Amino acid sequence: MTSELLAARIARHSDRQDIAIVDATDRITYRELWDRVVRTAASLTGMRRIAVLPTSDIGSLVVVLAAMQAGVSVVLLHRYLLPGDFADAVRVCEPSLIVAHPRQHARVHRWGADTVLAPEELTTGRAAPLDAPARSAELLVGITSGTTGPPKLFVRNQASWAATLDRSDALFELEPGDRVSASGTLDHTHFLYGAVHGLTRGATVDLRKAAVALDDAPTHLYSVPTIAWDIARSGGRYPGVREVLSSAARWPQSARTALATVLPNATMTHFYGASELSFVSYDRTESSGTEVSGRLFGGVEAETRNELLYVRSDMLFDGYLSRVGDHTTLTNGPVDGWMTVGDRGSIDKGRLALFGRGSETIVRAGLNVELAPIEAALLSIPGVLDAGVVGVEDERAGEVPVVGVVVAQRNALSAKQIRLQLRPMVPGPSLPVVIAVVDGLPRTPRGKLDRQALAATLATVRTDDSPAAPVTTNQTVSALPS
């Protein structure tokens, strides 16, 4: 049986007067939503791609859904892009329009865009019947965070998102009358997907901050560990929440226990996946305490080759979009249906255990952060002779990057000065929490940075506002927060 495409699933609810979306300033019924979607879709007809920088607002969702209804691919911009990354994305994708909420226009202009439209400027078309997009048609071009080196443009098609929605429908009970909190900004695909998932099921989608949304009794909560941690520490109690759907780094048991106190009736599900893979496996803890760990989603096959995890399913991406001469092309997609993103793991009796991507990549608040590009940026700063970046555990963000640097002359550079020069060179998630000037970095016998030893030192660093001076590993490190 061929599953229904995304926009068609939402169209099934188009005659209902129930509230479809709530944002910080407005709300809209399903009937009003679909009217705006089809009128916006009419104004996009004939385009190949549009670029959208979404915020947590109704207009952003309308434009995204309209493009998907019209068979126009959405180039999903995100707020962590650097100007050069934005220029590369536009050069490769050649979007017909760039769309953002008016409060984001200044940001997009700083990236180098001349013309940026507001979502409401596109709701001008006359509703007309549209042919359904082809299942193989490009649905979305996502841009990796840029924290794992230069951003990549990954392509998902209509069928792969439909298949992902099928898996959500099979695992979660979500129906009209339910309420979905998707409180993270919609440029994060986890929250965009959560909002779309709720709309395909006829639920009310709440885009407001979790602290506000929880007062209106949501039944489902799309989250990442940072949001979950804030909820756990809120001191409230929300028995109406039935499902917590989380991505990014797996939360430690102590933190999950704290969240369960605030959400006593919630089943907590943590997804493992990637932009290229979609859903792969999940951990699930029922409110009764029953736990499932590492279960593969239906239709997913996984195997390991020299500890590298390879995945095959109908949810995989098509490949990375790049420009070769005058043409764009897809590269490095699945081979014989199989794909790896470099994660390591093992499979035992159908259950997946993950080992991560090694010590040079961490997950900070739901975003992969590769350490090597941060080190390269630090080494480009005049006066920095050596630099080492490691991840240390953080209860709220999972892991955060911290830095040890060696400078040319004692007191020549303070941590504050280094931080100011580093800030425009790396995306926001890659900015270190601590920058410590040290007298030397620990090395292995083969001369490689000993990240474990450096992490042990920097994990105990206290931040203050004094200039950083070179220290030895058994001295107190003077540093600044970033």
Side-chain angles (χ1 to χ4, degrees), residues 172-217:
F172 310 119
E173 295 183 2
L174 179 57
E175 301 295 341
D178 287 335
R179 192 177 186 95
V180 177
S181 171
S183 59
T185 308
L186 298 180
D187 63 354
H188 192 310
T189 52
H190 175 64
F191 294 106
L192 176 63
Y193 177 82
V196 169
H197 174 210
L199 293 174
T200 64
R201 302 299 296 169
T204 296
V205 173
D206 195 331
L207 302 178
R208 298 174 298 173
K209 298 296 184 183
V212 178
L214 282 167
D215 288 336
D216 281 339

Side-chain angles (χ1 to χ4, degrees), residues 420-443:
L420 290 174
Q421 293 188 62
L422 180 65
R423 185 179 295 278
M425 300 167 66
V426 298
S430 296
L431 284 172
V433 171
V434 170
I435 297 175
V437 178
V438 298
D439 61 352
L441 298 178
R443 299 283 176 181

